Amino acid sequence: QLQVKESGGGLVQPGGSLRLTCTISGSRMDDLAVGWFRQAPGKKREGVACINNSKGQEYYADSVKGRFTISRDVARSTLYLQIDNPISDDTGLYYCAATFKYISWCFLGMDHWGDGTQVTVSS
């Protein structure tokens, strides 16, 4: 069983930066597919960025390409999401997720979720 815990959310100004952190316990991170998802008020949860466990490939939502960067520290079992140049549409509850399942398209199939950390983009 995996335990997933996010931190690092908060208020950020447009054009600023913020880094989200996710600690995952219960498995070596390089055995897992991992990712970040978000849910804005009144909208469905969507994938933001993820790393699969077939070839360690990274995927990004089109809306965040060039502004968000996903990375991991396997030794620390920690996943990061660097948010640069945020815009108001980036506001939402950000979730970290993971799965043991062997998946290629890592925006689908996650089955262990954290409780989320709120990111608010506002001046």
Side-chain angles (χ1 to χ4, degrees):
Q1 188 74 6
L2 299 173
Q3 289 79 45
V4 179
K5 178 65 176 176
E6 311 92 339
S7 62
L11 176 66
V12 59
Q13 292 186 342
S17 63
L18 192 69
R19 189 175 78 164
L20 305 183
T21 299
C22 173
T23 56
I24 301 175
S25 58
S27 176
R28 283 180 54 85
M29 183 172 282
D30 48 5
D31 289 335
L32 306 173
V34 292
W36 290 96
F37 297 74
R38 69 185 179 189
Q39 187 167 19
K43 294 187 177 180
K44 293 182 179 180
R45 188 165 59 191
E46 63 176 353
V48 175
C50 64
I51 303 173
N52 71 18
N53 53 358
S54 60
K55 296 182 180 180
Q57 294 165 309
E58 298 176 1
Y59 295 93
Y60 293 89
D62 288 343
S63 60
V64 306
K65 284 180 181 176
R67 301 187 299 114
F68 289 17
T69 305
I70 189 171
S71 62
R72 59 184 176 178
D73 184 332
V74 174
R76 297 178 183 269
S77 293
T78 303
L79 183 71
Y80 302 99
L81 184 70
Q82 179 68 35
I83 300 173
D84 295 318
N85 298 314
I87 59 177
S88 58
D89 285 350
D90 294 325
T91 294
L93 189 60
Y94 282 68
Y95 297 92
C96 179
T99 183
F100 287 110
K101 293 181 291 186
Y102 188 76
I103 57 176
S104 180
W105 180 240
C106 43
F107 283 145
L108 294 177
M110 299 294 182
D111 50 18
H112 291 79
W113 297 83
D115 293 331
T117 186
Q118 178 68 35
V119 173
T120 302
V121 183
S122 176
S123 56

